[in-house]
Amino acid sequence: MKNITIKNATIPAIGLGTFQLENELAREITAAAISAGYRHIDTAQAYKNESGVGSAIKDAGIDRDEIFLTTKVFRERLSKKDFMPSVEDSLRELKTDYVDLLLIHWPNRNVPVAEYMDQLMEAQQKGYTKHIGVSNHPTALLDEVLATGADIITNQVEYHPLINQTKLYTYLREHGISLTAYSPIAQGKVLGNPVLKEIGEKYGKNEVQVSLRWLVQQDGVMAIPRTSKTERLKDNLNIFDFELSTEDTAQIDQLKKDNQRVVNPSFAPDWDQVV
Ligand SMILES: NC(=O)c1ccc[n+]([C@@H]2O[C@H](COP(=O)([O-])OP(=O)(O)OC[C@H]3O[C@@H](n4cnc5c(N)ncnc54)[C@H](OP(=O)(O)O)[C@@H]3O)[C@@H](O)[C@H]2O)c1
């Protein structure tokens, strides 16, 4: 497993995503993932599975500090009144004293950036989280986040070969912030892509593995694929024994031209324009 180092954090480049895994399945998959070698787990208040994830970590028989655990504050709980109680609820559900990374899940037009960033920094001061970050923040909102003085380590956003995130990625690199790639296999849409398939055949890898490798080969990028199938957990980790060539990468870079976004709810912010 490759680790990425960002500021004072060391994070496994592949983590387990748990969106849409209901509580009991999240417990089973998290337990199987830890057995398979995963040490980075991503959950959220909105997924309603923090309890299952927390039970699996607690019962895994390894020290808590061996796991990098992320959760996210729900967009309906960002106000000063709701924020800290929501984090305390998360810690209770997760059965832990702290998370490694606490993220703002989505911005909310009704809550000023400075209000929720103040709360996020306070959660860190209280020891509820080791590191802080945001998710689904385009560059205009990141300017507001950084203006608060917050020392964020990541922006978790949709990223895979089929979407154009050049503007956001460049911004994050310029500011020394990592990019955590969610929906890293475009919720399955990379499967069957002829370019990814052909490149994979050279290395004995499938389209999912080529996509994940393309992501983690980029500076400051980690990825959190989700599966509900234990047999796929190993496949999604099995990407560290080959390297994409410059020619492969150039071909994959062309796929972003259609700019396919798979996660775009009605409450999404105005995304960055394609450059
Ligand atoms: N911050 C946010 O707003 C946000 C938004 C979306 C996601 N996320 C995070 O990112 C994680 C991943 O994103 P995602 O869940 O949207 O999608 P994803 O990881 O891109 O794709 C998941 C889909 O791919 C399939 N899959 C996984 N591994 C596979 C393999 N080896 N071969 C074939 N199919 C495979 C899964 O099916 P099976 O279950 O059948 O394997 C599932 O349908 C989430 O779970 C969540 O933790 C965050």
Side-chain angles (χ1 to χ4, degrees):
M1 170 71 79
K2 173 189 166 191
N3 285 321
I4 84 156
T5 302
I6 198 88
K7 301 186 180 178
N8 60 344
T10 304
I11 314 172
I14 292 288
L16 174 72
T18 64
F19 176 48
Q20 288 177 337
L21 301 182
E22 57 76 29
N23 212 33
E24 182 50 27
L25 183 58
R27 191 189 62 72
E28 281 170 35
I29 292 291
T30 304
I34 293 171
S35 298
Y38 286 73
R39 292 293 180 269
H40 171 184
I41 316 284
D42 180 87
T43 181
Q45 293 170 356
Y47 303 167
K48 297 188 165 43
N49 62 15
E50 290 175 307
S51 167
V53 167
S55 295
I57 293 173
K58 200 169 173 44
D59 297 344
I62 56 172
D63 289 344
R64 168 69 187 85
D65 64 7
E66 285 190 38
I67 302 280
F68 191 93
L69 174 62
T70 302
T71 198
K72 316 184 194 84
V73 180
F74 185 42
R75 57 184 290 283
E76 299 292 347
R77 299 187 80 178
L78 293 183
S79 70
K80 187 171 188 320
K81 175 172 73 68
D82 295 331
F83 194 107
M84 216 54 78
S86 88
V87 179
E88 285 157 2
D89 287 348
S90 283
L91 295 178
R92 209 170 305 114
E93 292 283 311
L94 288 163
K95 297 168 246 329
T96 183
D97 297 338
Y98 69 95
V99 290
D100 295 279
L101 178 60
L102 186 64
L103 301 179
I104 303 299
H105 200 155
W106 287 90
N108 180 335
R109 289 184 171 87
N110 299 319
V111 186
V113 170
E115 181 172 337
Y116 61 70
M117 290 310 297
D118 264 3
Q119 292 299 301
L120 189 61
M121 288 186 273
E122 195 178 324
Q124 186 177 28
Q125 275 153 18
K126 283 176 178 285
Y128 291 169
T129 185
K130 288 196 187 303
H131 307 285
I132 56 173
V134 296
S135 178
N136 296 303
H137 280 54
T139 55
L141 282 175
L142 287 172
D143 283 341
E144 289 187 47
V145 166
L146 296 182
T148 67
D151 194 17
I152 60 167
I153 63 163
T154 205
N155 187 18
Q156 184 183 119
V157 293
E158 179 172 341
Y159 195 29
H160 47 71
L162 310 181
I163 192 172
N164 186 333
Q165 288 287 30
T166 305
K167 182 171 179 194
L168 187 56
Y169 177 73
T170 306
Y171 178 105
L172 292 170
R173 282 294 78 215
E174 281 169 6
H175 290 85
I177 298 166
S178 69
L179 189 160
T180 307
Y182 79 59
S183 306
I185 51 184
Q187 296 185 342
K189 290 195 174 55
V190 299
L191 288 165
N193 181 284
V195 172
L196 299 172
K197 200 169 163 48
E198 196 182 321
I199 291 172
E201 276 161 10
K202 289 195 290 184
Y203 304 103
K205 301 289 175 183
N206 62 32
E207 305 92 299
V208 167
Q209 292 166 318
V210 170
S211 299
L212 294 173
R213 178 73 210 185
W214 174 79
L215 286 166
V216 303
Q217 241 176 257
Q218 296 171 49
D219 279 345
V221 175
M222 49 199 159
I224 48 170
R226 179 237 329 174
T227 179
S228 57
K229 314 240 166 27
T230 48
E231 63 276 14
R232 287 178 170 168
L233 288 167
K234 279 213 170 79
D235 289 349
N236 295 352
L237 265 195
N238 190 11
I239 60 161
F240 296 103
D241 59 351
F242 77 113
E243 192 167 350
L244 295 168
S245 67
T246 313
E247 295 76 38
D248 298 333
T249 304
Q251 263 188 292
I252 298 171
D253 287 348
Q254 296 296 315
L255 298 177
K256 69 181 175 202
K257 64 181 182 311
D258 292 338
N259 194 28
Q260 280 192 57
R261 188 179 284 281
V262 298
V263 177
N264 201 9
S266 57
F267 52 78
D270 295 332
W271 301 116
D272 282 303
Q273 295 298 309
V274 167
V275 289

